[in-house]
Amino acid sequence: MSATPTAEELYKYIGLAFEQAKSDPILLEKLSNIPGVFEILTTEPDGSMIIDMPNLTAVPGAADGKADCTFRMTGEYANRFWQGDLNLTMAVMRGDIGMAGNMKIVAKAINAQTKLFPTYIELLKKDGRTDLLVK
């Protein structure tokens, strides 16, 4: 099993993945056309992140009720998701992840976000954080 990232590491690597997507014309078009703001609340460690799909940003903070969807999960599950090692639908159905909000937007966003998984993994490898890799 991989180590669990800190909240700051999740902010860093997820945020950097979105930043890198801005320089890829295909990813930029695919991701920025998804409407929606997502709030990711993590436990173990405690953290809060806002992912703004049209603006391709992922930053620490709370949505203050303005999110189209809110996810609640452990830091381990967030790390696994961003590496493509977690079936979000199954995790929600099992109760491992809490989700509330606009499911239509979620479906579009999840499909688009999978394109960022290789970037997230490469960022971990580049920083020598192989301890956070799940595969």
Side-chain angles (χ1 to χ4, degrees):
M1 181 188 289
S2 65
T4 299
T6 65
E8 291 75 22
E9 288 169 330
L10 286 171
Y11 304 149
K12 174 183 176 180
Y13 295 115
I14 296 169
L16 285 172
F18 275 92
E19 283 301 312
Q20 285 192 9
K22 291 177 183 178
S23 63
D24 181 325
I26 295 168
L27 279 177
L28 178 63
E29 182 178 348
K30 185 168 190 75
L31 294 169
S32 64
N33 285 323
I34 303 295
V37 173
F38 301 88
E39 181 174 39
I40 313 299
L41 303 173
T42 61
T43 59
E44 302 172 35
D46 291 342
S48 178
M49 173 176 269
I50 305 302
I51 296 176
D52 182 330
M53 292 299 290
N55 293 307
L56 290 180
T57 60
V59 296
D64 299 325
K66 296 180 181 140
D68 294 295
C69 186
T70 299
F71 293 92
R72 289 176 177 77
M73 66 186 82
T74 65
E76 175 192 352
Y77 282 5
N79 185 46
R80 287 179 55 201
F81 171 77
W82 285 100
Q83 293 183 56
D85 186 61
L86 181 76
N87 181 315
L88 185 66
T89 303
M90 292 302 297
V92 170
M93 289 175 58
R94 285 190 310 263
D96 295 333
I97 293 178
M99 183 171 68
N102 187 324
M103 297 306 124
K104 186 175 179 181
I105 292 174
V106 170
K108 289 179 183 178
I110 298 304
N111 184 41
Q113 287 176 349
T114 61
K115 307 299 184 213
L116 292 177
F117 294 170
T119 303
Y120 181 86
I121 292 168
E122 286 306 311
L123 288 165
L124 292 175
K125 288 178 180 177
K126 180 181 171 196
D127 275 1
R129 294 307 313 269
T130 55
D131 60 312
L132 295 177
L133 295 174
V134 293
K135 293 182 183 179

